[in-house]
Amino acid sequence: MTDTSLTIENILAPELTLCRVPASSKKRVMETIAEQIQQHDALLSDTQIFTNLVARERLGSTGIGQGIAIPHCRLEGLDHVVGVLLTLEEGVAFDAIDNQPVDLVFTLIVPKEATSEHLELLSQLAEKFNERAFCDQLRQCTDAGSLYRRMTAETS
């Protein structure tokens, strides 16, 4: 069976799941995300990823409230969706809609020709992060392995 639908499980790699990352600012969070993606896939430019994330952020903060941000952007030359999950050691100012610091970040990098399927994935993420108990479970993870398993576990 070839299921090509985009799900969190399909786009998040264990190597791109980081727990309790030290970050002093929104800019530093974006730099860390770009560096991690580039380390995971050397064909992708960390500079281009960072620039695109910052450009998207200028259109309006991706801080959705309750300590959560879902930064996202399109990337020229990308042929698959990349997800990155970070929990931060301490919350950082992110211009979130509720003005609360952010400590839970899920980043979505999509191909330049992104389709409505990608918007659906963004919607899935927002829905998942809307569950306070789920977010609390993510925040309680102390290592990347448990964070990855919790994020990709089917919710019942």
Side-chain angles (χ1 to χ4, degrees):
M1 183 172 111
T2 56
D3 182 13
T4 56
S5 67
L6 289 176
T7 62
I8 295 162
E9 295 77 17
N10 294 349
I11 63 157
L12 182 64
E15 306 81 40
L16 291 175
T17 306
L18 304 167
C19 193
R20 303 203 174 168
V21 174
S24 53
S25 66
K26 181 178 183 175
K27 178 178 183 257
R28 187 64 203 125
V29 170
M30 301 291 189
E31 288 170 345
T32 299
I33 291 163
E35 290 162 5
Q36 290 299 317
I37 293 171
Q38 203 264 330
Q39 285 176 20
H40 182 67
D41 186 342
L43 298 176
L44 301 177
S45 160
D46 58 338
T47 306
Q48 190 62 50
I49 293 165
F50 175 76
T51 301
N52 289 11
L53 283 171
V54 169
R56 166 57 190 86
E57 206 61 33
R58 280 193 195 113
L59 299 175
S61 176
T62 55
I64 63 170
Q66 298 181 9
I68 301 157
I70 308 178
H72 54 280
C73 68
R74 296 169 188 253
L75 189 64
E76 190 77 49
L78 187 66
D79 63 358
H80 60 287
V81 177
V82 177
V84 182
L85 174 63
L86 307 177
T87 59
L88 304 179
E89 225 170 51
E90 292 181 28
V92 298
F94 218 89
D95 303 316
I97 58 172
D98 62 359
N99 293 317
Q100 295 301 306
V102 163
D103 65 346
L104 200 51
V105 180
F106 194 105
T107 306
L108 205 54
I109 312 293
V110 300
K112 189 79 172 163
E113 313 72 37
T115 64
S116 59
E117 200 175 27
H118 300 108
L119 294 175
E120 172 57 33
L121 188 57
L122 214 47
S123 170
Q124 275 180 45
L125 284 168
E127 194 174 306
K128 213 166 169 102
F129 284 121
N130 203 26
E131 298 171 33
R132 189 177 292 264
F134 173 74
C135 294
D136 290 344
Q137 290 172 351
L138 293 181
R139 289 182 172 109
Q140 289 165 9
C141 292
T142 55
D143 63 88
S146 62
L147 183 60
Y148 175 78
R149 286 188 298 278
R150 173 65 54 207
M151 186 68 205
T152 56
E154 282 301 312
T155 53
S156 47

